[in-house]
């Protein structure tokens, strides 16, 4: 066991991390600094303060990171039209590197030599937290209680809490059977009936969206204004990044948009079923492709598409703070210089339908006629030569009797 | 002008290709062989026979290619989860290489030295037809009337038709303002009001699908059975490839599924707006990813995702008969050996919702516990070492003071 | 510590693995099966038998794997022109999966439940052995003594050997200061003065090649005959794969060919300096590119080049037995169907100079003139259209005032 | 034929472009502006002035572009370790975009509406000139005489020259049988005996390098200093980019370095044999990889390697001025921030041997031991977990009986 003086704990205020807090104090006999972040998960963060104080914590950080989260993490990711394994919008993945960054910043501020988190030893989040932490502070110690302790069942955890007088809130409402994670980009569900891939998800599982069936019978139209690849206004009203996403979450959720039920491949090697609600993100992905469709060069767009799966994997597997992600980001960001304009969407019972896109920098030209000084235009005869030379290598091969390659 | 003895014309029986037929006879003073294919476009092909006969054609080919189209072109393409520019399901692109192949087969059978088609000089289809033709018969001559003649307006075409007594069917219904193409995979629309990217598509343009608004208020559930990556049964009923696709088109169309409105990048260099209805294809894409999600290895899936944009571009740009497409196909097909099982979908007002997937070859294991002889399983402690070594290069760099790369 | 009944040890007969043999017997109290392979490392393998017997081993495997090694591992790898990080020919990497495969085969034959090897905990070889073993027998136990025991210095190892009466051969020749590995493809050197990247390697380190300075003053010419991408004859004499490689090693070594001094990136995260002698492999890489240059389609060649770094990394990092390597191999092998012909090389003082290549399936055509029936040929005017359409997207953008992307 | 007022001609002063000059004046009845560039081809450029004047040219541009060429084109390309088809260092390809840029700049300065060049209709150079020109000035007219005129043999060209009193220099030396191109990066040879791919190149063809046989019997050692990926000093002496390359050409040429004989795939579709001398470039490629090997992160290096073939193809095919090349360049340049240090090379009879590399920013660490505060270091036990989790997906599959993928 490492010799630890002071540890910064990613603290939600819930049962698990409260037990961890106590366990760290007892097991490592070290000072614990708590860090609680508002990432738009929709729960109060301030109550965490009193709980931490009650357990003797002296240094308590409670940060509203919503704007930073959307501006510096969510938006850059959406510039790449990022999707993991064709479906997943990376809602959990993209929040972890921000938490890792803050843990390290706080460790540096408070002179802590370790960090700790409540992620389990079977999931991706431990990797994301720790790769980020190591990249930003290479000598930091990491304490991952779920990989160390023996409190591996809910009962043992509850026993430990009671034994150590950890304040547990008893809600009237039934404990959710799902393991959940939420932030401004999404809410996720794992476990419970989802562990059988053939069983349909339950309607009452979803929390952020109405079902398409219950969504309004009339569509909602919105216009999104882009500047350098990011949304800066909705229906002409300029707003901050976090407000953009919160607004799209509200509108999308009302229209039954953004539910997803998939089986994904975890970095640690197993397959896992997850359900996700990403109403705003689902809208953003479709809209971003639409604005790019008129403002981006073809080969730039294709190069982005070819590199996207790699970029998505880097985020999924926790390499946000790696040099290769940063290198790719430079290219992605540079590509967005002209991604300006407006996209009009029709939202209806789960559907995100693009109905228009316009831009002062549009490369769409219905005529392709005006740029040659002599009034000339696209010359259809050019196509014959274009095809002939593109076919040449195949003609030579066929002429030699090649049938394949 | 090339010296041509006999030319095989891709003949629809419509006005344009009827004018081409006559024009070829007059201009090249050559014999014309007509080839009309039923690719599931939903129009009768037999009437083309009488029209061709009326113009003196002696060799008339009318082929039902629906099964070959789906089995050898559509299904192989869907094994790769193929999407062009993030959205387009390549409905037109995938039919062209089959037509090219038949044109060349017929040229070989009839001793023709040329082929001809009705694609314009500004589009992708000319490239797709001709690259295929050249690859399969390198010395073939190609006559593309739209790049050669001066009948470049609808009026001139009509004049020519009347002057040469070409039988024009006058429908009671208004001529569509759109340029359309249809086959069993999709129907497409270009031109008309679509030439302004900001103008919303018109509701009465769509022909194959009802709007989500008009789709039934109760969902439809279906189960699709996969064998080696292809659908072989719907709701347990085995059926041929073309029947699978026709059935999914019907069910999808009834539920408002598969409409798309995009701006795409043509191979010849300009951007173009197209609207597409691909009801069956939209269902197949989602379902194929679902069955792969439990049966495919992670890295195999990721490699497929990384190569997909390249593969999609090859099909879009007309390189179906190229050695590089064939080489990629070998890899894609090999990957499908274990893609067997069943996917359950809920179809509702434009939404395709995966609600279950199962397979005897599923790699999903909720426990990950049974395979070690000593009863051991996933050892959470392993994750610490996994993370430590994956972080090592970044820690070394950070320790040396590196901030980026 | 795992409960082990019988373990198959990759046994060289040298000090390290002899100590491991004894240590396994004592520590795990289990039966040890030894496996010694002749991979062309240039040392006798038979003496390992007596040593193993002396330590009480009852099941002793001594295999000549040279032909299998070259035929099923080296040759397939060279079909891809495989180079790791631009320089390294993967001599060590490519032997490990064969050893892993034999370890598992022997475990299955002898009813062993574990394997063991002498690779250290800081290197790539442990990963290569173990990933292969786990892929082929998922429940196998792996004992890696270097990661477990405390004999972490040469002195402790010698003490252990003496204490346990392990027969150590005292060579007259001085113990090499380098850590070495050899097989038919290469010999490698690490450690010693190489640990300072600025220090020049020592001339007397090299064992397989003369220096370019000492190579003959007259060049050697050879002709290599390829069939489906593999060399089947040298100077017209057909020979087996292992004989091909042994012959090229001899000729290359005499001509000072194949030395390499690099710093490479290990899979476990650190950089490492290695020196390598790969005389035959260096010749094969150059020659294979030469025969492909006249027999492979351009886009097939480019696709292979784009995927090669990925393929090389898979081999370097130990994923030979992974599904993604097998999938890539299918594509690579398929590409070699027409890679037939002869390459002539001039070897001189470290240089491998291609002086000629010919093939009945050559796609090179100095005239590009004969394949059109009408005697037509490449039409220079086609190039204008080709260029115009390829430039179109950039012209549109420039016309709109775009300066970048 | 286009209506042209004034055309800027890429003018070498040789026979071909002198004939073009006259032909342009006569055929297009337009004013011709000549542009002659010193790119380090090793021939005087000033004589072109008198020749142009003699033919009545009023606006004559003679530019020394050597520094710009190496600084803004050669060096950026070498940052990517760029090689086309595994061998070719792109010596001709990289000069063309600079010429295209100057042609357009001069057109803008002189009010010319067209450019012209002497590249043939079968080669790559026409594409490179014209794609660059169109990208930089979309409405420019391009006159490519070799695609237009009927002077398609040497005899006709000579006749035209004599008839129009074009001054032809009669060298005492025999006319080279090769088509050549030279600049500071390389000299190339095509045609003649090279048109038979089996025939060995002739020793007296080479002009810049001695043969390895005739190179000195003692090696030459040099040290190259890198700053941000570019060489800034040789043997400690700082020098300009062009001087760096000229110096390396001299040293390399003396030591028989940089000859290449390949068959390459042209963009216009045929295979072509070329011989190249690139003494300085050959040294730079090897040295750049060496300095990167100690200063670049592994994954950054691998990402560069995966994208390199694409980047090389873009340069080979003339897309230097495309947005996708510019986008890739941003990423490549960013990766070079820490590529600083010194490489020591031994040059000997055609061999470029790396003997040392050092850097204040080296990531090489022989100990990997010092960065953890607790004195901890690389923990060999971590490797077990690393391997176990990396193997997990393959173990699960094997446990389910999978044999392939």
């Amino acid at each position: 066991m490492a010799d630890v003086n002071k540890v910064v704990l990613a603290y939600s205020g819930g049962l698990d991390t409260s037990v961890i807090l106590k366990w760290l104090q007892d097991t490592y006999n070290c000072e614990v600094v708590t860090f609680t972040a508002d990432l738009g998960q929709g729960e109060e963060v301030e109550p965490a303060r009193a709980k931490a104080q009650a357990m003797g914590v002296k240094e308590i950080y409670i940060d509203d990171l919503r704007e930073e989260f959307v501006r510096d993490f969510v938006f850059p990711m959406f510039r790449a039209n990022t999707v993991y394994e064709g479906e997943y919008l990376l809602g959990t993945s993209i929040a972890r590197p921000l938490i890792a960054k803050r843990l390290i910043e706080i460790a540096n501020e408070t002179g802590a030599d370790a960090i700790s988190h409540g992620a389990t030893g079977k999931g991706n989040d431990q990797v994301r937290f720790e790769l980020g932490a190591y990249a930003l502070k290479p000598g930091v110690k990491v304490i991952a209680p779920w990989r160390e302790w023996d409190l591996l069942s809910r009962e043992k955890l509850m026993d430990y809490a009671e034994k150590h007088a950890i304040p547990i809130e008893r809600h009237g409402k039934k404990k959710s059977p799902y393991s959940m994670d939420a932030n401004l980009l999404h809410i996720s569900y794992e476990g419970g009936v989802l562990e059988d891939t053939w069983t349909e998800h339950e309607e009452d599982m979803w929390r952020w969206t109405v079902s398409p069936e219950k969504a309004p019978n009339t569509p909602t139209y919105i216009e999104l204004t882009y500047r350098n690849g990011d949304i800066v206004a909705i229906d002409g009203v300029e707003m901050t990044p976090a407000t953009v996403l919160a607004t799209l979450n509200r509108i999308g959720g009302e229209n039954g948009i953004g539910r997803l039920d998939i089986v994904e491949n975890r970095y640690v090697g197993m397959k896992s079923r997850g359900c996700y609600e990403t109403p705003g993100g689902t809208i953003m992905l479709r809209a971003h492709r639409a604005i790019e469709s008129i403002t981006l060069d073809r080969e730039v767009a294709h190069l982005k598409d070819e590199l996207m799966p790699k970029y998505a994997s880097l985020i999924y597997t926790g390499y946000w703070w790696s040099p290769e992600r940063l290198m790719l980001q430079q290219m992605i960001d540079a590509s967005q210089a002209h991604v300006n304009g407006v996209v009009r969407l029709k939202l209806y019972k789960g559907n995100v339908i693009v109905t228009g896109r316009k831009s002062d920098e549009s490369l769409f030209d219905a005529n392709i006629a005006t740029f040659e000084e002599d009034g000339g235009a696209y010359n259809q005869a050019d196509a014959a030569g274009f095809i002939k030379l593109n076919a040449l290598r195949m003609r030579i091969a066929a002429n030699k009797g090649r049938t394949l390659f």
Side-chain angles (χ1 to χ4, degrees), chain A residues 58-271:
Chain A
K58 289 173 201 141
E59 292 170 294
I60 296 171
Y61 285 77
I62 295 181
D63 298 343
D64 183 349
L65 301 178
R66 289 176 294 175
E67 289 296 346
E68 182 179 3
F69 175 50
V70 182
R71 184 187 65 232
D72 295 344
F73 295 79
V74 174
F75 274 12
M77 180 173 77
F78 273 81
R79 287 173 206 147
N81 304 316
T82 314
V83 185
Y84 181 68
E85 297 187 341
E87 309 258 19
Y88 175 40
L89 292 172
L90 296 167
T92 298
S93 322
I94 192 61
R96 299 320 194 189
L98 171 52
I99 295 172
K101 169 174 165 277
R102 279 302 289 152
L103 285 171
I104 295 304
E105 287 170 350
I106 294 169
N108 289 339
E109 285 168 31
T110 60
D113 54 345
I115 62 158
S116 184
H117 61 76
T120 78
K122 281 193 167 184
N124 295 306
D125 287 331
Q126 57 178 340
V127 190
R128 296 165 185 155
F129 284 134
E130 297 176 29
L131 287 182
Y134 286 135
L136 296 170
K137 187 180 174 73
V140 75
K141 291 163 200 156
V142 173
I143 305 173
W146 286 100
R147 297 200 305 255
E148 294 186 21
W149 68 22
D150 56 357
L151 306 177
L152 290 171
S153 69
R154 187 121 212 107
E155 291 67 36
K156 287 187 184 171
L157 215 62
M158 297 291 281
D159 287 350
Y160 188 96
E162 285 186 28
K163 186 170 149 196
H164 293 84
I166 293 168
I168 303 168
E169 288 182 54
R170 305 279 175 188
H171 298 283
K173 62 181 173 184
K174 205 180 69 192
K175 167 82 179 122
S176 165
Y178 303 104
S179 170
M180 293 188 287
D181 176 69
N183 60 49
L184 206 41
L185 182 53
H186 88 161
I187 180 167
S188 67
Y189 310 88
E190 293 187 337
V193 301
L194 302 178
E195 293 191 357
D196 176 353
T197 63
W198 185 244
T199 302
E200 185 168 353
H201 50 258
E202 300 167 310
E203 178 55 36
D204 66 0
M205 172 187 73
W206 307 105
R207 302 201 166 191
W208 282 17
T209 59
V210 302
S211 68
E213 287 90 336
K214 299 209 172 141
N217 289 321
T218 51
T220 302
Y221 280 81
I222 57 170
E223 291 185 11
L224 304 178
T225 303
Y226 278 89
R227 195 174 300 145
N228 299 142
D230 297 336
I231 301 171
V232 294
I234 300 178
D235 290 332
V237 182
E238 299 241 348
M239 51 185 81
T240 65
T243 314
V244 163
L245 185 46
T247 304
L248 293 179
N249 278 339
R250 181 182 53 73
I251 300 173
E254 290 167 357
N255 284 286
I257 288 163
R259 293 181 173 187
L260 184 66
D261 177 338
I262 58 169
V263 176
E264 72 199 52
N265 290 291
R266 285 193 191 154
Y267 190 26
V268 291
M270 77 281 278
K271 290 180 182 293

Side-chain angles (χ1 to χ4, degrees), chain A residues 28 45 66 117 128 131 151 166 169 221 233 237 276 336 344 348 353 356 363-364 374 378 390 398:
Chain A
Y28 283 86
V45 289
R66 289 176 294 175
H117 61 76
R128 296 165 185 155
L131 287 182
L151 306 177
I166 293 168
E169 288 182 54
Y221 280 81
V237 182
Y276 302 98
Q336 303 294 295
R344 193 200 311 110
Y348 177 72
I353 299 158
L363 298 172
F364 179 89
D374 58 358
Y378 183 94
N390 278 316

Side-chain angles (χ1 to χ4, degrees), chain A residues 306-325:
Chain A
E306 289 182 23
L307 290 170
M308 187 276 284
K310 169 87 177 174
Y311 177 82
S313 282
L314 288 175
I315 295 176
Y316 185 84
T317 54
Y319 290 92
W320 180 264
W321 296 114
S322 73
E324 64 272 24
R325 201 282 305 174

Side-chain angles (χ1 to χ4, degrees), chain A residues 374-396:
Chain A
D374 58 358
Y378 183 94
N379 184 347
Q380 300 208 22
D382 286 340
F386 178 75
I387 297 168
K388 275 288 188 80
L389 292 210
N390 278 316
L392 185 59
R393 63 186 171 92
M394 296 189 288
R395 296 175 79 196
I396 293 172

